[in-house]
């Protein structure tokens, strides 16, 4: 039976990403190490980057699962998909310095611009609207997406946690790129990548992390998100 050319594709049909190399900038921090570990255990080829290649290599050896460590520039150059998990303070400067290595690559920004005071966590204003939009502004030749904002680093790094029951909201302006990021997230047991809009909507997704931090502090939990009826 021939499928009509104008038939809509099922949004749940995602590409095979098993052969892609995933790089993690800021891969020696908790969030970066956690994402690297989970993706590697799921069968993905993973490279973590750091300002210090030796530090990255040491962190990779601790993670195991075939993870490799190198400097940030090499990590970006050798990867097909690059996750940005660096501190907000150094976000723009690092991406500007790696614009050549990141050209043509899918960049997944998971940075949450956040401040903390005695009243708790709060979202910081970003001139471009969000960390992801800032990334897109300084990386015009990259395919920038936003994802992995709300997953607990504690759970990611705990080998006794076999399934991470959470949805990953994926944002971006290019369908092919968001499909790949959704597929990567969905390789991790219990996790599901869900398309959540264009990059201009990344600000409220990043800011929601402050609310989850409040939930976690009140209930001593590692709360994530589930999107219903999808």
């Amino acid at each position: 039976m021939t499928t009509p050319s104008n038939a809509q594709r099922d949004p749940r049909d995602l590409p095979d990403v098993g052969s892609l190399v995933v790089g993690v900038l800021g891969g020696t921090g908790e969030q970066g190490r956690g994402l690297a570990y989970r993706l590697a255990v799921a069968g993905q080829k993973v490279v973590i980057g750091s300002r210090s290649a030796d530090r990255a290599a040491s962190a990779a050896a601790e993670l195991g699962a075939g993870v490799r460590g190198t400097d940030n520039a090499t990590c970006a150059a050798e990867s097909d998909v690059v996750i940005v998990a660096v501190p907000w303070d150094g976000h723009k400067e690092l991406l500007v310095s790696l614009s050549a290595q990141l050209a043509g690559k899918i960049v997944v920004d998971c940075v949450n611009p956040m401040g903390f005071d005695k009243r708790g966590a709060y979202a910081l204003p970003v001139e471009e609207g969000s960390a992801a939009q800032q990334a897109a502004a300084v990386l015009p030749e990259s395919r920038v997406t936003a994802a992995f904002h709300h997953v607990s680093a504690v759970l990611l790094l705990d080998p006794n946690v076999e399934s991470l029951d959470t949805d990953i909201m994926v944002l971006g302006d290019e369908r092919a790129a968001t499909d790949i990021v959704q597929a990567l997230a969905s390789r991790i047991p219990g996790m599901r990548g869900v398309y959540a809009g264009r990059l201009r909507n990344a600000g409220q997704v990043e800011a929601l992390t402050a609310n989850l931090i409040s939930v976690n502090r009140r209930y001593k939990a590692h709360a994530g998100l589930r999107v219903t009826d999808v």
Side-chain angles (χ1 to χ4, degrees), residues 76 79-80 98-107 139-143:
S79 303
D80 301 303
L98 297 176
S99 59
Q101 291 88 343
L102 293 171
K105 307 290 178 72
I106 294 178
V107 175
L139 299 173
E141 296 183 34
S142 300
R143 304 160 68 190

Side-chain angles (χ1 to χ4, degrees), residues 75-207:
C75 172
E78 293 184 353
S79 303
D80 301 303
V81 178
V82 180
I83 298 173
V84 181
V86 300
W88 169 239
D89 288 347
H91 180 263
K92 184 175 184 178
E93 180 182 3
L94 176 65
L95 295 183
V96 168
S97 73
L98 297 176
S99 59
Q101 291 88 343
L102 293 171
K105 307 290 178 72
I106 294 178
V107 175
V108 187
D109 202 302
C110 68
V111 174
N112 298 306
M114 203 83 62
F116 296 86
D117 59 20
K118 62 183 180 181
R119 297 166 63 185
Y122 60 95
L124 295 174
V126 180
E127 181 179 355
E128 296 85 354
S130 66
Q133 287 170 289
Q134 183 183 88
V138 301
L139 299 173
E141 296 183 34
S142 300
R143 304 160 68 190
V144 178
T145 64
F148 298 112
H149 300 92
H150 306 135
V151 59
S152 164
V154 173
L155 297 182
L156 286 170
L157 285 166
D158 188 346
N160 295 315
V161 176
E162 296 181 358
S163 178
L164 287 96
D165 296 323
T166 188
D167 286 336
I168 301 299
M169 301 178 76
V170 180
L171 301 97
D173 294 333
E174 182 192 328
R175 173 70 179 272
T178 56
D179 279 357
I180 287 173
V181 179
Q182 285 179 252
L184 285 171
S186 298
R187 294 203 75 187
I188 298 173
M191 195 177 284
R192 181 180 63 157
V194 178
Y195 175 75
R198 292 185 175 272
L199 213 59
R200 67 182 182 182
N201 293 320
Q204 60 262 35
V205 174
E206 296 171 4

Side-chain angles (χ1 to χ4, degrees), residues 47-54 56-57 68-76 78:
V47 183
I48 61 174
S50 175
R51 286 177 296 180
S52 165
D54 289 341
R68 295 188 295 114
T70 185
D71 61 273
N72 281 324
T74 304
C75 172
E78 293 184 353

